[in-house]
Amino acid sequence: MLRKPHGINSAPSARTAFFLLLACAPWPSVADIAPAKIFSDQMVLQRDQEVTIWGSAAADTPITLHFDGKTYHNRSDERGHWEIPVPPQKAGGPYTLILSGDGEAAIRDVHFGDVWLAGGQSNMEWKLSWGINDSDKVIAAADYPLIRFFDVPSEVSPTPKTALEGGEWKKATPENAAEFSAVAYLFAQKNHLEKDVAVGIIDNNWGGTPAEAWMSKETLLQLSAYRERTEALYQPDTDWPARFARNQRNAEEKYQRLSSREDALNAGAYRFDFPTASWSEQALPAEFEHLAWLRHEFTLDEIPSRAVLELGDLQQEAFVWINEQLLAEEDSQAQGARYEIPTKVLNKGRNLIALRVGNSWHNKPYVGRTDQLWLQLGDNKLDLSKGWQYSNQVEPPIPDHIRYEHKSSFLYNSMIRPIQGYALRGVIWYQGESNVGEAVHYHDLFSALIKDWRQQWQQDFPFLFVQLAAFLEPKNPQPDSSWALLREMQSRTLKLPNTGMATAIDIGDIYDIHPRNKQDVAARLWGEAKRISYGEDILSRGPTFQSHQLENGRVTIHFAHTGEGLRLKQGESVQGFILADRDGNYLPAQARIHGSSVVVWHDSITQPSALKYAWADYPEVNLYNSAGLPALPFSIENL
């Protein structure tokens, strides 16, 4: 069986049960000088920029920084906080930084190179060890001592924090790199090899999190769509320690029960003689709540030579029985649900399939996939989409567990604010899946996030992001796709200066929100980095809508960024265009390439009113430029 992904439709790791509340306290008065956690052995500092190093010491103490034959001075303030600016340095190292004041501290093996913050949700968090294309080869070859990662601890806080609780810089080795962000590592590898400098990645992401969790409260209060919910969250006199303690207890009970084989066996609903008179009839696929128990019976005249059970998908924690024998246990990482049934457990006559399914992500278990619900019995295939019995009353409801990492500013407070000011080459960002439900607001939200971070850093750094990959069942046409709308909102954010976008529209997976081709994602981000941050004159963008003409019912689309011309990756005609008639009804359109343009039409639409390209949850596309980059989705509402 394949494994299920982490992230938007999966259970978080144990860290989600670990909530910290540290109010914005003054810097401690300590006897010894202490640099902030992010300034530690093996760190990378940004070359060719002024960088600031900070930390804590006794109040009003002279602080000295010495390295490479140079000395820099400052003094801690009344809270014990100190900062020392360092003039721009050329790429190089290793250096040892000696800090002295009330005591002494040394930071060893320091290099100046390029530093990137890798932010977002699970597609950026996705580690090399979680499985990407050629994972084993990539990890085994990860021997790059000048690529270093700092994994920001995953914590939440309702108030801005001044310091991280932990974290350390790690060099890229096969042992360490397995736990690095795949996209960030592959990006860093290109940066290191092409520019011949040390590369530091601040790995700062959390699966399933929305953009608003990563923004300051002050910025969110300025957005009308987010003001009310932010104000409601930050009520004065809230007893956050009590809330977190209660939530921690609920989380512990929830995860224990979802994975407890003992609880499932004690419930007994997998047994033939379990009473089901109160259960309801159920067709699959379907979504449920709490702990869903399902049963399906079938009869056999004879035992087949081979039996295979296909349930499509079980989201996310599940137990599967055949004739009271436990066949499989699924956790949040399993993908797919196909099982070889030992024929010795089958009976002539009555047979019983029983399922117990929970969902640690949002407490709504889901069972099945269309056309993937069957039982293969020798040469016969039995349809399992109907005829199920269902109940979620067998066991008590799962306790309510609040994901505070989704709340407005809770990750900004704990994971962004403490590193604010660490000099960056730029940001690479892969996020948006958790905002699809409110796609219409994403342009304003995401643009505000970029401005917010730049203002906090006082640095107009490049901000490079990934446009969401194709996902879910293909539908054509699908003019009301929320995924397509969010991609459009991402494209609009390119109006901000110093931004770049790497589209992943052509590397998605129908069933997996985490496409395993992270290589192309990283390569496209690196192309945008070379163009925007390094000023190289390269073709790093896919064909982009520029203008259109409508004549005799045919629409000619003119594209920018085509290189030596448009081309098809496969097939004989352009896919992905839909046209609307005068009444706004969309139909799949015909299209052909003409140099750097595409002519679009539909034989039954003489007066088209609107046009969309790659506008679906999972659009099927084949239009590329000469650099092998796919055309960007777009919409023309009025032709």
Side-chain angles (χ1 to χ4, degrees):
M1 287 176 291
L2 298 175
R3 308 307 295 164
K4 269 185 192 168
H6 296 268
I8 190 168
N9 284 320
S10 65
S13 59
R15 69 183 184 184
T16 24
F18 179 58
F19 294 106
L20 290 177
L21 172 64
L22 287 176
C24 186
W27 288 87
S29 178
V30 294
D32 296 318
I33 189 169
K37 291 285 186 184
I38 199 168
F39 299 106
S40 56
D41 293 351
Q42 303 181 153
M43 70 179 175
V44 180
L45 295 173
Q46 181 57 46
R47 60 176 170 143
D48 303 328
Q49 287 185 23
E50 180 178 274
V51 301
T52 299
I53 297 171
W54 66 85
S56 59
D60 195 30
T61 299
I63 307 295
T64 300
L65 169 63
H66 180 82
F67 81 99
D68 195 29
K70 306 179 185 69
T71 303
Y72 306 93
H73 303 276
N74 210 333
R75 180 179 291 272
S76 62
D77 62 20
E78 67 279 3
R79 302 173 301 153
H81 176 61
W82 54 264
E83 297 181 357
I84 294 183
V86 177
Q89 306 288 316
K90 296 296 183 183
Y95 299 108
T96 297
L97 279 57
I98 304 296
L99 288 159
S100 58
D102 191 0
E104 187 172 279
I107 308 174
R108 299 174 176 84
D109 191 15
V110 178
H111 283 258
F112 285 86
D114 289 335
V115 180
W116 298 87
L117 191 157
Q121 57 183 109
S122 55
N123 268 307
M124 183 61 82
E125 181 187 24
W126 196 266
K127 302 179 187 301
L128 288 171
S129 61
W130 291 357
I132 66 167
N133 292 353
D134 298 322
S135 277
D136 292 344
K137 292 180 181 179
V138 174
I139 293 171
D143 185 15
Y144 294 97
L146 291 183
I147 297 177
R148 287 129 187 243
F149 271 60
F150 185 92
D151 188 11
V152 176
S154 299
E155 301 171 1
V156 299
S157 176
T159 53
K161 295 173 62 175
T162 54
L164 298 175
E165 291 302 301
E168 61 180 323
W169 286 93
K170 293 184 178 181
K171 296 180 181 179
T173 66
E175 295 75 23
N176 291 336
E179 297 306 303
F180 291 171
S181 157
V183 168
Y185 171 74
L186 294 165
F187 176 92
Q189 184 185 51
K190 291 183 177 295
N191 190 163
H192 171 59
L193 293 175
E194 292 192 28
K195 300 303 178 183
D196 193 25
V197 296
V199 178
I201 297 291
I202 301 175
D203 206 1
N204 201 355
N205 35 69
W206 192 324
T209 54
E212 58 267 26
W214 296 97
M215 301 167 62
S216 70
K217 180 177 72 173
E218 292 73 22
T219 295
L220 287 169
L221 289 173
Q222 297 173 24
L223 299 175
S224 58
Y226 295 87
R227 183 181 305 117
E228 184 175 340
R229 73 185 73 174
T230 303
E231 289 174 340
L233 179 64
Y234 289 95
Q235 292 297 309
D237 302 322
T238 299
D239 188 347
W240 286 111
R243 280 196 182 189
F244 283 1
R246 183 170 59 251
N247 200 59
Q248 171 76 4
R249 291 192 296 270
N250 286 350
E252 290 172 353
E253 178 185 343
K254 165 184 168 179
Y255 290 114
Q256 185 276 325
R257 289 181 55 199
L258 286 170
S259 61
S260 174
R261 182 191 297 185
E262 182 180 4
D263 284 1
L265 292 172
N266 287 340
Y270 64 95
R271 295 187 178 278
F272 278 103
D273 60 0
F274 190 87
T276 60
S278 63
W279 290 32
S280 60
E281 292 186 8
Q282 181 66 52
L284 298 178
E287 183 178 80
F288 307 97
E289 289 187 346
H290 296 295
L291 286 171
W293 278 90
L294 295 107
R295 292 162 56 107
H296 189 287
E297 293 196 20
F298 62 97
T299 58
L300 289 176
D301 295 330
E302 58 182 28
I303 305 301
S305 59
R306 183 171 182 247
V308 177
L309 174 63
E310 172 63 77
L311 296 173
D313 196 15
L314 301 173
Q315 296 183 14
Q316 292 172 282
E317 290 79 17
F319 295 88
V320 182
W321 289 269
I322 296 288
N323 293 339
E324 302 185 357
Q325 301 298 308
L326 185 61
L327 181 65
E329 295 182 46
E330 299 285 14
D331 62 18
S332 61
Q333 297 185 40
Q335 183 185 18
R338 180 179 295 187
Y339 315 101
E340 189 86 20
I341 301 174
T343 56
K344 64 182 180 181
V345 307
L346 297 175
N347 302 323
K348 284 188 177 181
R350 185 185 181 197
N351 291 266
L352 173 65
I353 303 168
L355 313 176
R356 188 249 210 187
V357 189
N359 192 318
S360 56
W361 183 249
H362 49 34
N363 207 19
K364 294 182 179 180
Y366 191 87
V367 178
R369 286 178 181 159
T370 302
D371 299 326
Q372 293 188 41
L373 287 155
W374 43 261
L375 180 62
Q376 187 77 44
L377 299 166
D379 295 330
N380 299 318
K381 183 179 283 189
L382 176 66
D383 179 18
L384 293 182
S385 62
K386 296 186 174 86
W388 291 84
Q389 290 180 296
Y390 155 71
S391 175
N392 68 353
Q393 304 298 310
V394 176
E395 299 178 71
I398 295 295
D400 188 25
H401 165 223
I402 300 170
R403 292 184 176 275
Y404 282 105
E405 69 270 23
H406 294 183
K407 299 300 182 182
S408 299
S409 305
F410 268 50
L411 299 185
Y412 170 85
N413 291 336
S414 55
M415 298 175 69
I416 296 298
R417 176 61 184 83
I419 64 169
Q420 172 189 310
Y422 195 98
L424 303 173
R425 181 99 204 184
V427 172
I428 54 175
W429 177 264
Y430 196 162
Q431 191 276 335
E433 298 93 337
S434 287
N435 289 96
V436 166
E438 297 184 317
V440 68
H441 302 305
Y442 194 75
H443 167 59
D444 291 339
L445 183 71
F446 187 35
S447 298
L449 182 148
I450 295 171
K451 294 175 184 177
D452 187 17
W453 286 18
R454 286 174 171 174
Q455 192 278 327
Q456 302 292 347
W457 256 262
Q458 291 295 294
Q459 184 183 356
D460 188 27
F461 43 65
F463 204 109
L464 316 175
F465 55 93
V466 181
Q467 187 180 47
L468 296 187
F471 179 55
L472 300 174
E473 292 279 357
K475 299 177 183 178
N476 189 22
Q478 194 184 9
D480 57 351
S481 165
S482 295
W483 283 79
L485 181 58
L486 191 128
R487 295 184 195 111
E488 171 67 16
M489 297 298 110
Q490 290 179 307
S491 292
R492 293 183 189 180
T493 304
L494 292 171
K495 295 176 182 177
L496 289 180
N498 232 13
T499 57
M501 185 176 76
T503 187
I505 195 65
D506 59 331
I507 57 175
D509 187 295
I510 295 172
Y511 300 118
D512 193 344
I513 202 168
H514 307 103
R516 305 310 167 93
N517 179 359
K518 303 303 186 191
Q519 285 85 346
D520 279 345
V521 172
R524 292 170 186 179
L525 280 171
W526 176 240
E528 287 288 75
K530 290 198 291 185
R531 181 176 65 86
I532 294 169
S533 184
Y534 298 91
E536 297 185 24
D537 185 15
I538 63 170
L539 180 57
S540 62
R541 290 166 286 183
T544 305
F545 168 74
Q546 190 172 42
S547 63
H548 78 279
Q549 295 171 310
L550 173 61
E551 185 176 355
N552 298 324
R554 298 196 169 205
V555 186
T556 301
I557 305 296
H558 303 288
F559 288 90
H561 316 308
T562 60
E564 297 175 6
L566 296 170
R567 56 203 59 188
L568 299 180
K569 188 171 185 178
Q570 70 277 323
E572 298 180 356
S573 60
V574 181
Q575 298 175 325
F577 283 95
I578 59 175
L579 274 177
D581 61 21
R582 286 185 299 175
D583 298 322
N585 300 309
Y586 280 89
L587 294 173
Q590 297 170 270
R592 69 164 183 263
I593 294 172
H594 186 72
S596 293
S597 302
V598 173
V599 179
V600 185
W601 75 97
H602 191 285
D603 291 338
S604 66
I605 300 178
T606 57
Q607 297 182 43
S609 62
L611 175 148
K612 296 178 186 288
Y613 173 73
W615 198 273
D617 299 344
Y618 192 104
E620 297 180 283
V621 296
N622 62 352
L623 183 62
Y624 286 71
N625 62 18
S626 59
L629 297 170
L632 303 185
F634 66 93
S635 174
I636 306 173
E637 298 300 328
N638 295 291
L639 289 173

